Structure formats: structure tokens, C-alpha cells
Amino acid sequence: MSLFDYTLRELQEKLHKKEISVTDLVEESYKRIDEVDGEVKAFLTLNKEQAMEQASQYDEERGSDDATLFGLPIGVKDNIVTKGLRTTAGSQILDNFNDPLYNATVVNKLNDAKSITIGKLNMDEFAMGSSNENSSYEGSRNPWNTDYVPGGSSGGSAAAVAAGEVPYSLGSDTGGSIRQPAAYCGVVGLKPTYGRVSRFGLIAFASSLDQIGPITRNVEDNAFLLETIAGHDHMDSTSANLEVPKYSESLTGDVKGMKIGVPKEYLGEGVAPEVKEAVQAALKKYEELGATWEEVSLPHSKYALSTYYLISSSEASANLARFDGVRYGKRAEDAETMLDMFKRSRAEGFGDEVKRRIMLGTFALSSGYYDAYYKKAQQVRTLIKNDFEKVFADYDVIIGPTTPTPAFKVGDKVDDPMTMYANDILTIPVNLAGVPGISVPCGFSEAGLPIGLQIIGKHFDEATVYRAAHAFEQATEFHKQRPSLGGAQ
């Protein structure tokens, strides 16, 4: 049995009793990475020397009042800046960004809690993708079956946890990039309310949508990690100045009287029968636990996909303008003029998907098209947000599938961008509305691949989302199953 088959609470108890050391945990992580990452390809950069030094130091400092994350190894998505540790955002244009000068706020919070960063995790380039196949390095694979994708863009973050390489990780979610890979890999992934977690030090894709969040093996671990990384940050003007609840205290297992809304749009055309069956079985489980559910409607969800790609691509075209070969990152060699250097550096540094979205966004923001596309998309975004608020006036949470299908095979959709984009159709509305959403395992397909249940809550009401997720998790066994690659089945 791997040490990482224990919960964070159990690992902390073992540390307090001195049954294990911090060094044991860090060594276990690197041992597992050596064993399986050749197949999973979750990590882009390892932090072994510094991690082992920290582990030795923390073993000497151990006390009875250590925080929940004390001495525990974590993987960090490679678009979250880490001081002195290579940060590429999965792109060749940042391939030589080996020594960042500062930490993201979430990394500083983890360091304050004395968690240990094991390394940086693979991702779709600049978080643009749903399968991890857009990484400019070799794409990650799904630990349940390495012929399949782990999802994206936080595919490395989810795969590393599912494979037992780290007990928990950080990802980022712009249109489903935490929840979708969590569903594909059979782990727990939360997108917090926009503004709940600081974005300072997150390499921006779409600033009004991006949000850092935790990926773990169970709901309680997820709550512990969010308690650590959430909170107001004066370095982020979009950070909410609200008190952070003790989310772990909301995990009572009691959902009696909870009112659940189930959008008819989330179980319609395009959702695989086995996914529908798993969600319907989950709803029956909630009935057994004392909750009630009713069908509701989010009528503007059908416009979410086009709205999202117009807004996110427009923001990406502005955010990625800073990568020009001048200050850091790739610079084209033998350029004859400064303009030629700009053009060639960006042409050589960005991949096809990033170029596609920059071009779409630049067009949508251009003179004569701004009102017709970008402004219209923002207006529809408001309608989508209003849909959620109307439902939440009568219901505690909204529940449906995280993804329309289980994971697909590597290479199956890489040449079909529109089909690939549709994989996020059930997660995108959550980002457009800015509300929190979590994915928890709720079943397996005939091929043995995980299926995810998405639970969506009101703004800044992660506590209720966690309560609903934890009650379902405790009443089922799905979260206890492990891929044979990453540990005991």
C-alpha cells in the first residue's frame, strides 16, 4: 500500500506519531515518479534537490501543532510561477524560463504551510486544450489506460494524483480545466468561485475566467487544500476580500432537506448513455440520503460554448501579446529587424492551438467587429449568469455530469478542434457565471474509465458544494478505486 493511499489527515497523524518522516513522503513521491511517469508523463520539471533539503529541515522542526499540509508533497501546474523553478506554461516560447524571480501567491501560501513542491506538472500550452495533447512537450496520459487522454488543460495535475505520484496538486480552470481532467482521471477537482483564490503569479490565459484550484483523491483533502490557498491578496485586484471558512468543518455527511436542481440541458443530446446512467444513480443516492431533486432549466447554456471561445480568445490575444522575444522566453535567431524578430519569435514559440485562438481573439476585438462579437458575447455571458442566479433562488446546488463522455483515446480528436471544444460544454457555463463547481467520481464506463459528477454552488458557497460532494463520496466507493498503474486496484 502506497503512503499516498492514506488521506492527508491520516498522513499528518502518522507524521505526528513519528511513524513516518517527511523525508519518507518525499522519497515515496520520487520513487513513484521513477516507476510510472515514463508512461504517465505528468511532470515537466522536478525539484528533487530542493525538496529533499526541505524534507530534512522539516523533519528537524516537527511539532505537535503542525498545519494539515505540513511536510506533504504537492505538484504544481506549470503555468503557476515558482521562484527559481522552471515555469513553461507547456510552451516552447517559455522553454528557457528557468529562474523566475518570484512565487505565485498560492505557492507562497503552500510554503507558509510547509508543503513541499515536488515539481511542475504538464499541461496544454497556455492552458488551451481539453486533452493535454496541446502540450508543446509530450502529452500526459490517463493512468487508468495510457491509450487515453487525461483531459486538459490540467491533465498532468490530475494524472499525477490519480497515479499516486503526489497526494494532491494545483491546477487552473478557465473553462473546465480542473473538473474535466478530474473526471477523466477519477479524482476530485474544484474550481473555486472567481476571486476566492489569488491569480497573482498565474500565467494568464483569459483573466476574467481563470481560477486556480485543488485536485485531490477525496473531498476532505480538497477542502484542506482550499483552506490553505484561498483568501484575499492585495497583489490581485480581482481577489475577493472575504473571510475564508473552515471548509473541512462543513463535511458533515448530512444532506437531508438539501434541494438539488438538475438542468435538462445537461442530460440532453450528446451525453453518453453510460454517463446519464451514472448521474441518475447518483441522484437516487442523494434521495436515499434525504435530499430532493427536480429538473430545472439553464436556457442560455446552448450559447455558452461560442460565448466562451469569443471571450477567452479575445482575452488571450491581449494577454499573450507580452510574449515577444524581448524580455524573456524564446527569441528567434538571425532576425534582420526588430519586427522580424517579433514575428519569428512568436511563430516559432507558439503552437497551432495558441495561434488559432490569438487570431480568433484579435479578430473579435478588431475595429468593426468588437460590437458584433466580443460585446455580444459579454451580453450573453450576463444572461448565462442570470440563469444560475434564478435557479439558486430555489435550490442549494445544481448537479449534472462533468463531461458528456468518459475520456477518449489519444489522437482521436486532435485534428478536430470543434469536437475537442465541445468536451467542455458542461463545464464552461460555470466559469462564465463565476460560480464554484466540483467534480467527484460517480462511476465507471464499460471500458473501465472514470465518470465524473459535477456539483455547482452559489457564489462563495464552496462549503455547501463540499457538503454535497462529501456526503455522496462517503455513501459510495468510487473514490477508493485506483488504477493498476498507480497503485492497488
Side-chain angles (χ1 to χ4, degrees):
M1 182 176 180
S2 166
L3 282 175
F4 299 151
D5 285 326
Y6 296 98
T7 67
L8 299 189
R9 188 190 294 274
E10 289 168 342
L11 289 175
Q12 205 54 245
E13 287 175 0
K14 287 181 174 293
L15 284 172
H16 288 163
K17 293 177 181 177
K18 298 193 175 180
E19 295 176 5
I20 59 173
S21 66
V22 177
T23 299
D24 290 336
L25 289 172
V26 174
E27 287 179 343
E28 175 89 359
S29 184
Y30 286 118
K31 177 185 175 185
R32 182 58 61 89
I33 290 169
D34 287 342
E35 290 173 351
V36 305
D37 206 58
E39 295 179 75
V40 178
K41 301 174 175 60
F43 282 89
L44 291 176
T45 303
L46 295 178
N47 188 39
K48 191 170 185 177
E49 183 176 345
Q50 185 177 355
M52 293 304 299
E53 288 178 3
Q54 284 181 308
S56 179
Q57 176 186 339
Y58 292 165
D59 278 329
E60 295 178 4
E61 295 177 3
R62 272 195 292 178
S64 59
D65 59 346
D66 292 330
T68 309
L69 304 188
F70 176 86
L72 300 182
I74 187 170
V76 177
K77 188 176 178 180
D78 205 29
N79 61 345
I80 299 172
V81 176
T82 43
K83 183 177 181 180
L85 182 60
R86 182 172 175 252
T87 301
T88 71
S91 178
Q92 291 298 315
I93 206 163
L94 286 174
D95 182 60
N96 64 356
F97 192 35
N98 296 319
D99 193 19
L101 299 177
Y102 66 96
N103 280 323
T105 295
V106 290
V107 175
N108 282 332
K109 285 177 175 282
L110 290 169
N111 289 343
D112 290 343
K114 297 188 176 178
S115 186
I116 296 177
T117 300
I118 292 297
K120 304 301 290 293
L121 292 159
N122 205 350
M123 57 180 286
D124 288 297
E125 184 178 5
F126 284 102
M128 299 180 189
S130 304
S131 66
N132 220 259
E133 292 169 287
N134 289 336
S135 171
S136 72
Y137 306 92
E138 194 169 6
S140 299
R141 300 298 181 97
N142 194 314
W144 292 89
N145 185 331
T146 55
D147 290 334
Y148 288 77
V149 301
S153 63
S154 304
S157 298
V161 174
E165 297 176 291
V166 285
Y168 58 122
S169 67
L170 290 184
S172 69
D173 193 310
T174 307
S177 292
I178 287 173
R179 290 158 290 149
Q180 188 246 32
Y184 281 1
C185 292
V187 292
V188 177
L190 175 88
K191 185 210 86 75
T193 306
Y194 184 79
R196 175 57 87 186
V197 177
S198 172
R199 291 185 299 108
F200 179 75
L202 174 68
I203 297 174
F205 163 17
S207 301
S208 73
L209 299 163
D210 298 339
Q211 188 65 101
I212 296 170
I215 297 177
T216 58
R217 284 192 166 185
N218 62 70
V219 175
E220 184 183 55
D221 290 358
N222 207 278
F224 284 140
L225 185 49
L226 184 62
E227 288 174 3
T228 300
I229 64 173
H232 180 248
D233 178 19
H234 71 278
M235 299 294 286
D236 175 7
S237 62
T238 62
S239 172
N241 192 4
L242 296 172
E243 185 178 347
V244 178
K246 289 286 287 183
Y247 296 114
S248 52
E249 294 178 358
S250 66
L251 309 181
T252 62
D254 181 14
V255 290
K256 289 179 182 176
M258 180 177 284
K259 296 181 68 177
I260 298 168
V262 181
K264 60 183 180 181
E265 294 84 2
Y266 284 23
L267 290 171
E269 184 180 352
V271 179
E274 54 193 347
V275 173
K276 287 183 184 179
E277 290 172 10
V279 171
Q280 288 163 351
L283 292 171
K284 288 181 182 177
K285 182 61 68 176
Y286 275 109
E287 288 179 346
E288 294 171 11
L289 294 171
T292 60
W293 67 272
E294 295 175 350
E295 186 179 88
V296 297
S297 180
L298 298 171
H300 294 97
S301 292
K302 60 185 176 182
Y303 305 117
L305 204 62
S306 53
T307 299
Y308 169 81
Y309 278 99
L310 279 168
I311 292 173
S312 64
S313 297
S314 296
E315 295 182 4
S317 74
N319 280 324
L320 271 61
R322 72 195 67 177
F323 300 104
D324 53 15
V326 176
R327 288 151 290 193
Y328 51 82
K330 181 178 178 63
R331 177 182 292 188
E333 298 179 3
D334 303 322
E336 296 181 359
T337 65
M338 184 172 68
L339 187 60
D340 185 44
M341 185 269 291
F342 288 158
K343 289 180 178 179
R344 288 178 52 188
S345 295
R346 291 169 66 80
E348 295 170 12
F350 290 138
D352 289 344
E353 182 60 30
V354 175
K355 291 175 184 174
R356 183 182 295 119
R357 299 200 197 190
I358 289 174
M359 291 175 68
L360 172 62
T362 303
F363 173 78
L365 291 175
S366 62
S367 176
Y369 296 100
Y370 178 92
D371 286 351
Y373 293 104
Y374 182 73
K375 182 179 177 181
K376 183 69 70 176
Q378 291 287 18
Q379 291 169 332
V380 176
R381 178 182 191 172
T382 300
L383 296 176
I384 291 169
K385 178 175 176 287
N386 291 343
D387 284 348
F388 278 100
E389 290 178 351
K390 287 176 184 176
V391 172
F392 283 132
D394 298 314
Y395 298 89
D396 298 304
V397 293
I398 293 171
I399 287 181
T402 308
T403 59
T405 66
F408 49 90
K409 282 193 172 181
V410 174
D412 270 6
K413 300 181 181 180
V414 70
D415 296 322
D416 186 357
M418 293 307 297
T419 302
M420 187 78 80
Y421 294 168
N423 277 279
D424 295 333
I425 197 166
L426 301 177
T427 53
I428 279 171
V430 173
N431 296 80
L432 291 170
V435 293
I438 196 170
S439 179
V440 294
C442 72
F444 290 87
S445 69
E446 290 184 6
L449 296 166
I451 295 171
L453 183 75
Q454 182 173 210
I455 304 168
I456 304 165
K458 302 172 186 177
H459 285 100
F460 299 104
D461 192 15
E462 285 85 357
T464 300
V465 172
Y466 276 135
R467 182 161 65 93
H470 181 257
F472 175 77
E473 180 185 79
Q474 296 306 300
T476 57
E477 299 290 318
F478 303 117
H479 68 290
K480 295 182 179 179
Q481 298 192 44
R482 301 283 183 262
S484 57
L485 176 74
Q489 289 182 308

